[in-house]
Amino acid sequence: MNINVASRNPVKVDALREVLQIYPDLRDCKVIEIQTNSGVSAQPKSLEETVQGAINRATVIFNGCVYSFGIESGLMAVPQTKTGSMDFCACAIYDGKNYHLGLSCAFEFPTKVTRMIHKDGIDANEAFYRLGLTSNRKIGSSEGAIGMLTKGRISRKDYTKQAIQMALIHLENKELYYTL
């Protein structure tokens, strides 16, 4: 049984592989990594855009597999926050007919990072790098900003796994989720 994941980012791929191991019906699936474009901006700036990016990724790579997974991180507006937005991860699982969505925890980027993302149109990796907060230009492919900001207590892989597990709720409880 093949499962496609729309990424070659080791954090996203490893998160998916680790999560699948705790699901008896999925642990023996072969994970196929497929690089694809999200069809949204490099740094999504809304809940809608981030979820659409995950859906787009899952749709494009489906190609007859059992399930395809699209994973996308982005910002969403959150009232009462210091910056007006929080970063989160969205997972879309596509089974050829339906989408099953899940989200991770959310957290705020530092004020200057958020300002650069909105003002300069750059992604979080580049903003963290330009501000000297990291020497890793691809922090999102390693510990992630969340790993840096929590001093290793929560990694990007952890929050990616959350989104995947939230989406898998639908598959484990199919009888509870149906189209109205």
Side-chain angles (χ1 to χ4, degrees):
M1 222 167 43
N2 288 347
I3 288 179
N4 293 343
V5 60
S7 184
R8 287 206 173 102
N9 179 327
V11 172
K12 293 178 181 182
V13 174
D14 289 348
L16 178 59
R17 284 192 171 117
E18 286 179 22
V19 167
L20 293 178
Q21 290 307 302
I22 61 174
Y23 291 84
D25 294 342
L26 301 173
R27 74 169 47 118
D28 294 325
C29 290
K30 181 178 179 186
V31 175
I32 311 289
E33 303 169 31
I34 303 170
Q35 187 65 42
T36 188
N37 192 300
S38 68
V40 298
S41 62
Q43 178 64 64
K45 296 176 192 73
S46 71
L47 174 64
E48 295 80 8
E49 185 182 17
T50 307
V51 170
Q52 190 62 58
I55 287 171
N56 291 349
R57 288 180 188 275
T59 304
V60 168
I61 63 153
F62 181 70
N63 202 24
C65 65
V66 175
Y67 300 114
S68 59
F69 285 71
I71 301 167
E72 188 76 25
S73 291
L75 296 173
M76 66 177 165
V78 178
Q80 307 300 318
T81 57
K82 293 170 181 63
T83 62
S85 61
M86 294 182 127
D87 183 71
F88 71 104
C89 181
C91 175
I93 303 171
Y94 184 52
D95 62 16
K97 183 178 177 186
N98 296 300
Y99 295 95
H100 313 283
L101 303 175
L103 303 179
S104 70
C105 62
F107 67 100
E108 275 187 273
F109 285 148
T111 306
K112 288 181 181 179
V113 169
T114 303
R115 189 175 301 131
M116 284 184 87
I117 289 169
H118 287 291
K119 182 178 170 235
D120 300 338
I122 60 175
D123 69 15
N125 286 321
E126 189 63 20
F128 273 85
Y129 178 78
R130 285 188 192 178
L131 289 168
L133 299 172
T134 182
S135 59
N136 182 353
R137 279 197 115 116
K138 296 194 180 272
I139 193 168
S141 294
S142 58
E143 68 186 298
I146 193 169
M148 186 200 83
L149 294 170
T150 65
K151 302 188 180 350
R153 292 180 189 96
I154 300 172
S155 68
R156 177 143 193 229
K157 187 192 298 184
D158 294 332
Y159 107 138
T160 302
K161 287 167 71 171
Q162 287 178 355
I164 294 165
Q165 288 179 287
M166 296 306 103
L168 283 167
I169 287 172
H170 298 253
L171 297 180
E172 279 198 305
N173 302 281
K174 290 178 184 177
E175 71 283 357
L176 301 177
Y177 296 93
Y178 53 89
T179 305
L180 298 175

